[in-house]
Amino acid sequence: MSHTSVLIVGAGPTGLVLAAILARTGVEFHIVDKHARPLELTKAAALHARTLEYFRDLGVVDRMLAEGQRVDILALRTRYRDRLAVDFRVLADTAYPHMLDIPQYRVEHILIDHLADVGVQVNREVTLTGLTQTPDGVLAQLQTADGGTEAMTADWVVGCDGVKSTVRSLIGLDFAGSDYADDWVLCDAVVDWPLPRNEMTFSADGDGIYGVFPLPGESRYRLAYTQRKTPDGRLVDPDLADAQAAMTRTGIRGTVTAVDQFWTFNLSHRQAASYRRGRVFLVGDAGHVHTPFGGQGLNLGVGDAANLGWKLASVVRGGGPTALLDSYQAERHAVASQVVAFTHRGARAMLLRNDPRSYLRDTVLGVLQAAPPLRHLLARRFSQLAQAYRGSPVVMGRTRHLRAGDRLPDRAVFDGVTDRIVRLHELLQPGHHTLLLAGTEPRALLHAARALTQSWSSRWSEEITVRLLTTSWNLPAEFSEDARVVLDRGRDAAPLYGRSTTAYLVRPDGHIGYAGTPDPDRIGTYLRMVLTTDASAATKTDEESVRP
């Protein structure tokens, strides 16, 4: 019987991202998928800014940017008129102020190639058939391609196996929610479309929704629309003529000239009550599903993997307490609840058809269009940059502009030391915690840096990278210790400065774990929640948190 530290079930984007995070940190794992190869189906296509940031940390974003189609604007149209245009170019605190449209199977291939480069292979045509939890681990029953069976033990199991998750079923977690009345059609097509290629469009009229999303390739688009019905209520089988007929919902004269393949499906909005049972976790669509409004699904799953990945790696390697894993549920379940509710409201509003409330909807959209600050908030919401873990049990503190749990803004800063523009996320070391000290008074900044590094030198020095951000021109010359100094004379990172030196402990996923004064005792209290110096204590089973 073989054994692994982590068994990942499902090799879609979510499972592959989790695998890449574990591989980067040297954690032993085994990843299986029931399919012989990535399915080249018409699935997700939109990658948002936060997801592109995660892919940058993994070293794969450049390949995706080279292949994908940049989309700057999400446009909503109702009754044949433009109502609201969400422009992502207003996002100043990210390197990716846009969406990127790229078919899901290409995302999977890029991640698979990345894993292969570091010696990791997906175990294909392997199906999970059983899970049994014990106080020490999980026994998994697997069926191989030749029909044989294999037993494997794992310390932890992560279900990344989609909406019809076998893992979720085997551990008995309910998937509460309901289906929508409409059936949907998806297809990739060649379209003569008059709108700019940097614009994704959702249109709605009395017959339903029609979405047009630019894809890589000349005149290539993803079409998504509510399936048409005959006068007597029967669903119309989609074909090229049907796709063309449904396009009338847009009020735009486009021509569908060719279609690859049609895929029909029913939508629902559901969420598992818990993302964990004992030593088994749910990630991605295994834990939540919602409408494609705004292209949130794949992105939400990647965020799940990024959140659980660093925590699981830390616990397995003995660098973090087992209780750290409890925060995955606290942080990601709340985020997914917001996304499921947000996409549900958006889809329902667009599907009001001839309901009198549709006039109220159009009025609201007009108000949003007329208010740039509200459109900016929507851009942050769609891009998932606004997702935060405030109130999490493993974050603490706040400053004037930021609270623990917030994502560290990725502002562009002109660095007077290197004489080039750097982004704050460039200062973070992937897989590590980063202490970012920001201040304008050099002596106070130096004192804080030395006091803090001395306080944890015997405990966490290998786990924490130190960075100093200052407006003081003479600090770089004075500070000779092993920490990078960024000279921000233009105060491009102004929101990070307080009245005195401010400390930010940034987690491996780019979210702020601690924000506040550089007090060694307070920061030590935080670090003890997420790090441990006793490997045996870190791997010891907490009977209450891992019981089946």
Side-chain angles (χ1 to χ4, degrees), residues 331-344:
E331 294 181 349
R332 292 306 295 179
H333 195 276
V335 164
S337 294
Q338 294 168 4
V339 172
V340 171
F342 176 63
T343 57
H344 176 60

Side-chain angles (χ1 to χ4, degrees), residues 512-524:
I512 299 168
Y514 172 87
T517 61
D519 183 305
D521 291 335
R522 282 178 54 79
I523 293 178

Side-chain angles (χ1 to χ4, degrees), residues 178-183 266-269 290-291 340 343-344 347-348:
S178 61
D179 296 333
Y180 290 96
D182 288 284
D183 290 88
N266 185 262
L267 288 176
S268 61
H269 55 105
H290 48 81
T291 77
V340 171
T343 57
H344 176 60
R348 286 191 64 188

